[in-house]
Amino acid sequence: LRRLHRALDRLDGIPPAGLTQRPRLERDVLLSTIRADLIDLELLRSPWRNPMFYMFDLAPYVNRDYKPLAARARSLIALANASKWYLAEARENLGPVIPRPWLETALLQINGLLEFLGEDVKTAMAGLADKPLVAELAKSLEGMKVALTTYRESLEGRRAQSTDDFALGKDGFLRMLAETQGVTIDLDRLREIGEADLDRNLAALAAAAQAIDPARSTRDVVLAVAEDRPAPASILAEASRQATRLRRFLTDKEIVSIPTEDTALVRESPPYMRWNGAFLDEAGPFEGKSLPSYYYISPPDPKWPEAERIRYLPPRADLFFSTVHEVWPGHFLHSLHIKQGDSQILKSLCTYSMQEGWAHYAEEMMWDAGVGNGDERLHIGQLKEALLRNVRYLVAIGMHTGGMTIDEATKLFEEKALTDPATARQQAVRGTFDPMYLGYTLGKLMIF
């Protein structure tokens, strides 16, 4: 905290008027990043309240060939050996009372990490030929499993005292927007803007449904369109075909430049990252060689009833605009352009409202550019993605400033975004620990 406040004071002391365009932008980006870190520490108090703060990512060690396998194994050994004291610190730092949805999500992540350790890491490291290194890695990973299991048991012991006290409050919420996104606005006006965009998209959805079948209700038409969904075994291949089609559309229509021939590989999400349905994991901007980026899609939980698992799979039209958002011309293309820059600051940092606002804006832009050839069934997919983000926007405001419960948020996702119950619950829970997920719609409207 002292370090961040010192940096904040030093940057604030540099008059922006005396800077040229890029240094002025770099200064603003650094200020917003530092203020976001301070929000996390001072307002959310994540190290003391959020067990997810201490989770780590194992996937890059095994799914990117950034170094020879033996070197990556040694890095994994160092991480595994450090996890014992690291997670012991986590247990000591966290208070006895943790918001219940944060606790439950952390437990899901821990169980996923344990599964990943037992399957994916083992498979990825199977090619190691150095027997002493193999033995050392196995011993270290076993120690990490013990550390994660102990951490899980510690969190399980806090269940009885967990609460639903996760809200930022009105002042905290507005401070978050002002200091991390540069958005200073009255709460009523903020809500009014979100409701207006929700109404706009609901009207467009009704018009699309009317064009498909004027004799049926909007909801019935949307549900009928949603029946067209890829089979579980073919969903990754379907997303890959969509990505190829979208890239070709961008070049044929000359919508935006594509600076490299890189592509994002479609993969099933690692088990510990399945709190979100689909997301991009791009290679870092400072890598010296070309490394793969991954478009991850999360499968349904095998413990769910069969009907719920089937409903969780995205309809083909919804998946199409998820691919727009994550790959072409959303996050992946954004990352390719970022890597072309020569500013270390701008290659490293970005605001939530720009990162997600661009990708969400791209969905509607692509429809307007003619990507669906006027097929209103595909249009429904774009509008459902927009409605999902509209509801996130209103839920973030409602849960963090207005006392909205997780159950009420879940119902809103089902009724207004027309999501299945499992997705609705997943989205509502995310809002408790990701209040900035209103940044999708907020950023899109800022770009508009």
Side-chain angles (χ1 to χ4, degrees), residues 1 6 30 41 73 83 98 104 139 150 154 191 194 202 212 234 278 280 284 294-295 305 314 331 333 352 371 431:
L1 282 166
R6 282 198 303 269
L30 284 171
L41 292 169
S83 66
I98 295 173
E104 292 172 352
K139 181 180 177 181
T150 304
S154 171
R191 186 184 297 107
L202 284 171
I212 292 170
S234 64
L280 183 76
Y294 296 100
Y295 170 24
H331 291 314
L333 180 61
Y352 201 127
V371 75

Side-chain angles (χ1 to χ4, degrees), residues 199-246:
D199 290 342
R200 178 179 74 94
N201 287 316
L202 284 171
L205 187 73
Q210 179 79 5
I212 292 170
D213 188 345
R216 302 172 72 184
S217 71
T218 297
R219 188 175 189 87
D220 285 346
V221 172
V222 170
L223 291 176
V225 170
E227 290 303 311
D228 178 20
R229 62 184 82 227
S234 64
I235 192 167
L236 301 183
E238 175 72 14
S240 295
R241 287 191 293 270
Q242 290 175 349
T244 300
R245 173 184 171 187
L246 287 164

Side-chain angles (χ1 to χ4, degrees), residues 192-377:
E192 177 187 321
I193 290 169
E195 289 171 345
D197 197 57
L198 172 69
D199 290 342
R200 178 179 74 94
N201 287 316
L202 284 171
L205 187 73
Q210 179 79 5
I212 292 170
D213 188 345
R216 302 172 72 184
S217 71
T218 297
R219 188 175 189 87
D220 285 346
V221 172
V222 170
L223 291 176
V225 170
E227 290 303 311
D228 178 20
R229 62 184 82 227
S234 64
I235 192 167
L236 301 183
E238 175 72 14
S240 295
R241 287 191 293 270
Q242 290 175 349
T244 300
R245 173 184 171 187
L246 287 164
R247 190 186 192 284
R248 186 167 57 247
F249 182 85
L250 291 174
T251 56
D252 289 350
K253 297 290 185 180
E254 298 183 337
I255 289 174
V256 61
S257 60
I258 301 175
T260 75
E261 294 301 315
D262 293 345
T263 58
L265 304 177
V266 185
R267 295 287 186 270
E268 193 173 276
S269 307
Y272 58 95
M273 300 171 82
R274 290 177 185 169
W275 54 269
N276 203 9
F279 54 97
L280 183 76
D281 177 19
E282 70 266 30
F286 299 110
E287 295 294 347
K289 63 178 182 178
S290 180
L291 291 173
S293 293
Y294 296 100
Y295 170 24
Y296 283 132
I297 298 174
S298 299
D301 190 324
K303 296 190 293 292
W304 292 345
E306 183 180 4
E308 192 169 326
R309 293 200 307 272
I310 292 171
R311 289 189 66 191
Y312 179 80
L313 293 169
R316 203 177 307 273
D318 298 35
L319 180 65
F320 185 84
F321 282 97
S322 288
T323 307
V324 170
H325 182 101
E326 303 298 343
V327 188
W328 301 116
H331 291 314
F332 181 62
L333 180 61
H334 188 188
S335 75
L336 294 183
H337 277 282
I338 285 171
K339 290 172 188 175
Q340 304 305 304
D342 57 0
S343 165
Q344 291 194 354
I345 293 169
L346 301 182
K347 286 169 79 168
S348 305
L349 307 169
C350 190
T351 60
Y352 201 127
S353 53
M354 176 57 212
Q355 192 87 24
E356 296 298 350
W358 161 256
H360 186 37
Y361 161 85
E363 300 162 25
E364 187 167 346
M365 178 274 291
M366 288 290 277
W367 170 257
D368 289 345
V371 75
N373 295 318
D375 184 345
E376 291 295 345
R377 293 169 300 177

Side-chain angles (χ1 to χ4, degrees), residues 72-88:
R72 286 186 280 137
R74 292 187 183 94
S75 294
L76 264 177
I77 288 168
L79 178 68
N81 291 343
S83 66
K84 181 178 179 180
W85 61 260
Y86 176 73
L87 292 173

Side-chain angles (χ1 to χ4, degrees), residues 87-88 91 110 114 143-156 158:
L87 292 173
R91 298 197 307 272
I110 294 168
L114 288 167
M144 180 184 273
K145 289 179 185 177
V146 172
L148 283 166
T149 301
T150 304
Y151 187 42
R152 180 177 63 187
E153 291 169 353
S154 171
L155 296 181
E156 290 281 7
R158 290 169 163 87

Side-chain angles (χ1 to χ4, degrees), residues 49 97-101 104 161-167 399 404-406 425 432:
R49 298 181 67 227
V97 181
I98 295 173
R100 186 175 296 108
E104 292 172 352
Q161 291 176 273
S162 63
T163 71
D164 288 325
D165 180 20
F166 55 78
M399 290 204 299
M404 180 184 287
T405 66
I406 292 175
R425 183 76 180 182
T432 67

